[in-house]
Amino acid sequence: TDNYVPRWNGTTALQNSALFSDDNGKVGIGQVNPTSPLSISCATAFDLVAGTSTGQDNILLQNNTNGVGIGNYGPGIGFGNAEVGSAYKRRYAAIASVQTTADGDQVGLAFITHPGSGSTNALEEKMRIKHDGKVGIGTTNPVYLLDVNGTARLGALTGTSATFSGQLDTFGSLVLKRTNTYTQNWSFGISHLG
């Protein structure tokens, strides 16, 4: 059939495969009218069941080259830069699965960027979401729901019954303001004596 990539049926003939390539260079997998350079359609609903894939993922990446171990990266997706016609077909950012404990089933995500100005500088992990949902920015082992190792700015903190906003003042103190029917300020500071 026109635009289908043929496949051998294993016995006597060619037949249509799940691959479809239109005249504009767009490819569909399980999709006969691709709208992107690569369109993938999945007939099985996504679910939260771990273990053996039953077709519920549009793409399932696997890579066991690093083996089991805390901090070992699994499969990843790499991203190049935005420069057109770059002579360097390099990876400048990535997202990869990462084992976050000694249990090989406890896997999170690592977000990796290119901090250097040279094209050959090493990539660095900048953010991690652990298997338990804890997010670390500047740390690969977050112990809080959000764990930031470095300077952070919070525009607004929202609690269950009050709204907070916070900022560092010129003396390095954290000032939190609670706004409800009245305004109440708390200041926290660190004193360096000596």
Side-chain angles (χ1 to χ4, degrees):
T1 306
D2 189 33
N3 294 109
Y4 278 92
V5 177
R7 73 175 181 90
W8 180 251
N9 71 1
T11 55
T12 61
L14 293 176
Q15 64 186 38
N16 291 342
S17 70
L19 294 174
F20 181 92
S21 178
D22 72 11
D23 295 331
N24 297 315
K26 295 177 181 171
V27 174
I29 300 175
Q31 175 67 265
V32 295
N33 294 308
T35 57
S36 300
L38 176 61
S39 295
I40 302 172
S41 180
C42 183
T44 305
F46 180 82
D47 61 41
L48 298 177
V49 177
T52 303
S53 176
T54 58
Q56 69 271 42
D57 301 304
N58 287 51
I59 299 174
L60 176 63
L61 304 176
Q62 296 179 312
N63 180 343
N64 61 358
T65 305
N66 286 330
V68 176
I70 298 173
N72 283 358
Y73 296 113
I77 300 170
F79 301 93
N81 66 4
E83 186 177 348
V84 177
S86 173
Y88 303 105
K89 305 297 184 198
R90 292 194 172 100
R91 171 176 70 135
Y92 288 90
I95 301 171
S97 67
V98 61
Q99 183 178 334
T100 58
T101 70
D103 184 339
D105 291 325
Q106 295 184 330
V107 176
L109 289 174
F111 293 80
I112 299 156
T113 64
H114 182 260
S117 59
S119 61
T120 59
N121 292 110
L123 300 179
E124 294 180 9
E125 183 177 334
K126 295 297 183 180
M127 186 174 85
R128 179 175 290 191
I129 302 174
K130 285 180 60 176
H131 69 281
D132 56 6
K134 293 176 180 153
V135 177
I137 299 174
T139 178
T140 58
N141 189 27
V143 294
Y144 302 102
L145 192 56
L146 176 60
D147 198 339
V148 178
N149 180 14
T151 303
R153 179 172 187 239
L154 303 174
L157 299 172
T158 303
T160 57
S161 61
T163 301
F164 297 88
S165 64
Q167 65 184 31
L168 289 175
D169 67 15
T170 56
F171 302 105
S173 297
L174 175 64
V175 179
L176 293 177
K177 296 181 179 180
R178 178 179 176 201
T179 306
N180 224 348
T181 55
Y182 58 91
T183 299
Q184 186 175 6
N185 296 331
W186 296 278
S187 292
F188 303 90
I190 299 173
S191 176
H192 297 281
L193 300 175

